[in-house]
Amino acid sequence: MKLARIGPAGQEKPVLIQRDGTARNISSVVDDISARSIADGILTRLEQIDVAALPTAQLEGVRFGPPVSDVGKIICVGLNYTDHAAEVGLPLPTEPTIFMKGCRPSGANDPVRLPKGAAKGDWEVELGIVIGKAGMYVDEADAYDHVAGFCLFNDLTERSFQMEHGGQWTKGKSFPGFAPLGPWLVTRDELGHPDNLRIWLEVNGVRYQNGNTANLVFGVQQIVSYLSQFYELEPGDLIVTGTPAGVGLGQTPPAFLKSGDVVRLGIDGLGEQQQNILAWED
């Protein structure tokens, strides 16, 4: 199933989108799509009810908020596509490269403001994993049991903050609005194993990223198992799995975001996003 939260920020209503595209308002079943409702088994409950008896919801022209209202940790995997590591001139990691993102997810199509004085805003389309069941020391064979579903994610980055101000990557990743998520949470039963999905991103109609999740260095099961050695994974946590080649930093010469740009991105089965880029002063 596809689950979404639609409406103005702070007033989103939960909906279920059926395979034929019909949206059903599920407010009578659950108040919100949240870490708590996922932990309490809302995905199983929704599988057991007659959703056709629920009222329909209009999707055209509405805002899609983050599909999970209260994402917990955002754990990111860097350099996890073979082609991306090559474009930035770094060797493939022997273990996943991990960093954190310190901002809250925003809606899939919400506008994005660049930081004050930003000079090197960049894009990174990524596959996101939403954790559905808590766990530590998870075996790879059991990893999917801990996954609620998958989302499209844009790991926006200010490269000057990331690379020119010392310290680690997090400061370049954490500006408000730098985590567009959605439009949907797609459950495992609908998407299947996301190991051969087209993943792409365009800026102003020019396609920069055109990859496939088959090129992941570490796959979903490996990542979930690996991270569970260091973190207590909890329902509502978001793991983003890296980006394919084609980031702005990897262009010759480098290409970075500016006010007025339009970014579009998508992953097969997970929908599309579009963000209008604004300067801090706009």
Side-chain angles (χ1 to χ4, degrees):
M1 73 187 81
K2 294 184 179 79
L3 298 176
R5 301 171 62 251
I6 60 173
Q11 302 176 43
E12 294 94 342
K13 301 297 183 184
V15 297
L16 181 152
I17 303 170
Q18 297 174 273
R19 290 181 185 269
D20 65 1
T22 303
R24 301 285 178 176
N25 187 322
I26 57 173
S27 297
S28 62
V29 182
V30 62
D31 290 339
D32 204 353
I33 306 300
S34 65
R36 178 179 292 276
S37 65
I38 291 171
D40 288 345
I42 186 56
L43 302 184
T44 299
R45 286 172 57 200
L46 289 171
E47 290 173 351
Q48 296 171 345
I49 66 174
D50 179 14
V51 296
L54 298 175
T56 59
Q58 175 60 250
L59 298 182
E60 186 175 354
V62 303
R63 173 182 175 271
F64 283 83
V68 179
S69 65
D70 55 350
V71 165
K73 300 183 287 292
I74 303 181
I75 310 171
C76 306
V77 183
L79 298 174
N80 198 31
Y81 279 78
T82 55
D83 53 358
H84 178 51
E87 79 170 335
V88 296
L90 293 172
L92 292 179
T94 56
E95 295 187 37
T97 300
I98 304 302
F99 61 94
M100 303 292 288
K101 202 167 176 81
C103 54
R104 296 182 183 277
S106 53
N109 305 312
D110 289 353
V112 172
R113 290 188 183 275
L114 299 173
K116 185 183 292 188
K120 298 180 179 179
D122 209 344
W123 54 82
E124 298 187 30
V125 57
E126 307 207 13
L127 169 70
I129 305 167
V130 176
I131 294 299
K133 184 174 76 171
M136 290 197 72
Y137 304 111
V138 176
D139 289 337
E140 283 189 25
D142 300 326
Y144 277 114
D145 294 339
H146 294 263
V147 174
F150 303 92
C151 295
L152 174 62
F153 187 80
N154 191 357
D155 178 21
L156 290 152
T157 307
E158 173 52 39
R159 298 292 186 192
S160 66
F161 293 177
Q162 178 189 12
M163 305 174 75
E164 299 168 16
H165 290 266
Q168 298 180 342
W169 293 354
T170 299
K171 67 179 67 173
K173 302 283 188 174
S174 300
F175 196 73
F178 271 22
L181 182 66
W184 316 306
L185 167 66
V186 183
T187 54
R188 291 184 295 116
D189 63 303
E190 177 147 335
L191 187 69
H193 289 195
D195 51 9
N196 185 23
L197 301 177
R198 187 175 61 101
I199 177 171
W200 57 272
L201 181 143
E202 299 175 351
V203 181
N204 301 329
V206 177
R207 183 155 297 194
Y208 285 93
Q209 295 189 271
N210 196 24
N212 194 291
T213 58
N215 292 324
L216 283 166
V217 179
F218 303 102
V220 170
Q221 291 168 281
Q222 291 173 289
I223 290 169
V224 170
S225 177
Y226 181 85
L227 290 177
S228 75
Q229 315 306 306
F230 308 100
Y231 300 88
E232 181 180 6
L233 299 180
E234 300 173 297
D237 283 351
L238 174 66
I239 301 169
V240 288
T241 57
T243 196
V247 299
L249 181 66
Q251 305 303 307
T252 306
F256 296 117
L257 294 169
K258 62 185 183 305
S259 180
D261 286 346
V262 178
V263 179
R264 289 184 62 242
L265 56 148
I267 299 178
D268 287 349
L270 297 180
E272 298 184 9
Q273 298 182 0
Q274 177 171 306
Q275 291 106 35
N276 295 325
I277 305 301
L278 305 174
W280 177 251
E281 297 82 6
D282 290 344

